[in-house]
Amino acid sequence: MNISKVKVICRTTRVFKPVIVEKTNEILWLRLFGEGAHEIINIITVAIKAHLPYTSLRDQIYTHPTLAE
């Protein structure tokens, strides 16, 4: 994954491990550690609570450069 904001802040160590329900593509839970986790977790929480497929986040257009993109 090539995220410009990560390169700008020079902190590339991170863990982003989602568990996806194969049948529905819904995000079941997520392990998230690293710079900007606080920015990303809010977006993921909305998707989990709304039972959105991970593809709805993948295909979204995000502000650039941010860690959420």
Side-chain angles (χ1 to χ4, degrees), residues 19-36:
V19 173
I20 307 296
V21 178
E22 187 174 2
K23 190 173 186 177
T24 62
N25 285 334
E26 288 182 33
I27 303 167
L28 185 60
W29 63 270
L30 174 74
R31 177 173 291 167
L32 186 60
F33 175 79
E35 189 70 32

Side-chain angles (χ1 to χ4, degrees), residues 11-58:
R11 295 186 184 173
T12 58
T13 302
R14 60 193 180 276
V15 175
F16 186 87
K17 184 177 180 180
V19 173
I20 307 296
V21 178
E22 187 174 2
K23 190 173 186 177
T24 62
N25 285 334
E26 288 182 33
I27 303 167
L28 185 60
W29 63 270
L30 174 74
R31 177 173 291 167
L32 186 60
F33 175 79
E35 189 70 32
H38 65 283
E39 179 183 332
I40 299 166
I41 196 65
N42 296 320
I43 296 168
I44 301 296
T45 300
V46 169
I48 290 171
K49 288 182 177 182
H51 302 283
L52 298 174
Y54 79 90
T55 53
S56 65
L57 298 178
R58 179 196 65 195

